[in-house]
Amino acid sequence: MTSVWMRYLSGADIDSLGVTHADIVGAVEDVLVDHGHGDVVFEPRTHLVPDNGGKGHFNILRGHLSAKQVSGVKVVGDFVSNFERGLPSEMALILLLDPETGMPRAIVDGTMITEARTGAMTAVGAKYLARPGSKVLGHVGARGTAWWNVVLLDSIFDFDEIRVTSKRPESREDFGRRLSAELGKEVRVCADAASTLDGADVLVEASRLNEPEALVRKDFLRPGTFLVPYGTISALELTLLDAVDKLVVDNWRESQSGNPRFGALRPQLNAGLLTEDGVYAEIGDIVAGSKPGRENDDERILFWHRGLSTTDVAVANMILQRAEAADVGTMLPYR
């Protein structure tokens, strides 16, 4: 019987590879082109909600990249109170598989990948949908994905002003300090969502609510603004879509999938205020050139991304190729 080995890549292994911000954004943008051309197999996400008193749940994401001939499955936890134990709220593992034989190729620490591909999706969306010359960023939330949102957005726009906030004063103050040190510019820490978002050109909502709350109001959406909401529990005013000129999603099917409590625009979906007719495009169609993105400086555009499994697979596969070339990681016998 032929021996089968697979590579295990820990977070430390990934850190040693020197993967750049541009590498991650490039991998995400490239797979969005594949989406636009129909060169992926993209399965609905599912949720596993343990009997744990509401402490958290798991998301299971599955995808296949036809051009790169790799399949993958990610399991990621979403446990809001993990900060009390000094743990990330989202921890993940990604299994990469050979689609020709079913052979497992690698088990990859997916925690950084989850955070970075989420930030890269925000940044790629802004590249095509935000107003050129946007100068003020307002960001709600300080979890791991928030770091990547701000850093990657700033790499594109070089903002004159960055405002951040989160629910806990200690988290937002630390977030602001770390961002300021990383970016080499002042980052303004605000006490609430309104002072963070109102008047910003690019608005990002990555809050961690337990129950829906209207942190983002439609009067924040001035002509030319770009809004990205993706908190698990909705933080949007119910009638906010009245102020949106274009609504773009990562995938319409995914917008409707999973637990009916989860998703930034779930209340709008559940109330019939958001239907397929109200969606301008999926982001892959725009990145692939099938549809235009922003068409004038006054459009108010909302981009809702729930997370594409294919972006996890694309970034993990890029990292695996680097690891194979550098012989990094631990080889594990499968059989």
Side-chain angles (χ1 to χ4, degrees):
M1 183 70 70
T2 302
S3 296
V4 176
W5 293 74
M6 59 183 171
R7 191 176 299 267
Y8 170 65
L9 295 175
S10 68
D13 292 331
I14 295 170
D15 291 344
S16 74
L17 293 172
V19 175
T20 67
H21 295 167
D23 292 332
I24 294 166
V25 172
V28 168
E29 190 167 9
D30 183 57
V31 81
L32 288 177
V33 173
D34 290 342
H35 266 269
H37 292 154
D39 291 333
V40 299
V41 178
F42 177 54
E43 296 290 344
R45 76 169 59 204
T46 59
H47 295 116
L48 172 63
V49 183
D51 182 11
N52 60 11
K55 291 186 173 114
H57 66 278
F58 298 96
N59 300 309
I60 298 93
L61 295 86
R62 303 158 291 161
H64 167 75
L65 312 184
S66 301
K68 298 173 180 62
Q69 279 300 287
V70 60
S71 302
V73 178
K74 182 178 84 168
V75 178
V76 55
D78 191 347
F79 289 74
V80 176
S81 298
N82 272 4
F83 69 90
E84 296 172 354
R85 304 186 183 196
L87 295 171
S89 59
E90 295 164 307
M91 292 184 284
L93 283 176
I94 300 171
L95 174 64
L96 295 179
L97 301 152
D98 180 346
E100 293 293 320
T101 63
M103 183 178 74
R105 292 181 54 200
I107 298 172
V108 184
D109 182 339
T111 302
M112 181 280 284
I113 292 172
T114 297
E115 296 173 353
R117 65 83 155 144
T118 302
M121 182 69 89
T122 300
V124 172
K127 176 180 174 181
Y128 289 87
L129 299 171
R131 189 179 71 249
S134 293
K135 289 302 179 186
V136 180
L137 168 65
H139 192 290
V140 175
R143 52 177 158 157
T145 58
W147 169 270
W148 289 94
N149 284 335
V150 176
V151 169
L152 295 181
L153 282 167
D154 192 62
S155 72
I156 295 173
F157 292 95
D158 189 19
F159 296 108
D160 290 342
E161 182 180 0
I162 297 175
R163 311 172 193 161
V164 300
T165 194
S166 68
K167 183 176 181 180
R168 295 182 296 117
E170 61 271 26
S171 73
R172 62 181 179 246
E173 292 291 345
D174 178 66
F175 187 48
R177 280 193 297 269
R178 290 188 294 114
L179 282 172
S180 182
E182 173 74 14
L183 301 175
K185 63 175 69 176
E186 181 183 359
V187 173
R188 179 181 162 196
V189 179
C190 301
D192 53 48
S195 56
T196 303
L197 300 176
D198 196 12
D201 301 310
V202 176
L203 299 76
V204 182
E205 178 276 310
S207 61
R208 303 307 305 264
L209 299 175
N210 293 317
E211 296 295 334
E213 182 181 349
L215 300 179
V216 186
R217 303 198 309 265
K218 65 182 176 183
D219 58 287
F220 296 165
L221 300 186
R222 313 276 173 78
T225 53
F226 173 61
L227 169 63
V228 181
Y230 70 85
T232 301
I233 303 298
S234 178
L236 305 185
E237 184 178 12
L238 187 63
T239 58
L240 180 137
L241 295 182
D242 294 343
V244 172
D245 298 308
K246 276 181 179 172
L247 192 153
V248 177
V249 298
D250 53 4
N251 181 269
W252 173 241
R253 186 198 69 209
E254 283 299 279
S255 299
Q256 307 163 81
S257 71
N259 189 302
R261 287 191 69 236
F262 300 151
L265 270 68
R266 269 296 181 177
Q268 287 78 9
L269 275 168
N270 295 341
L273 300 174
L274 173 58
T275 65
E276 187 171 9
D277 289 341
V279 176
Y280 167 71
E282 294 183 352
I283 189 65
D285 296 326
I286 293 170
V287 176
S290 301
K291 282 193 171 183
R294 175 173 288 273
E295 295 179 272
N296 65 68
D297 285 349
D298 289 335
E299 285 183 308
R300 296 166 297 180
I301 300 178
L302 186 154
F303 174 39
W304 181 25
H305 59 84
R306 296 204 66 198
L308 300 178
S309 59
T310 48
T311 61
D312 294 298
V313 176
V315 175
N317 187 58
M318 177 268 291
I319 288 171
L320 175 60
Q321 290 176 334
R322 297 281 183 89
E324 289 172 339
D327 196 22
V328 168
T330 303
M331 297 305 295
L332 303 175
Y334 179 69
R335 62 173 304 145

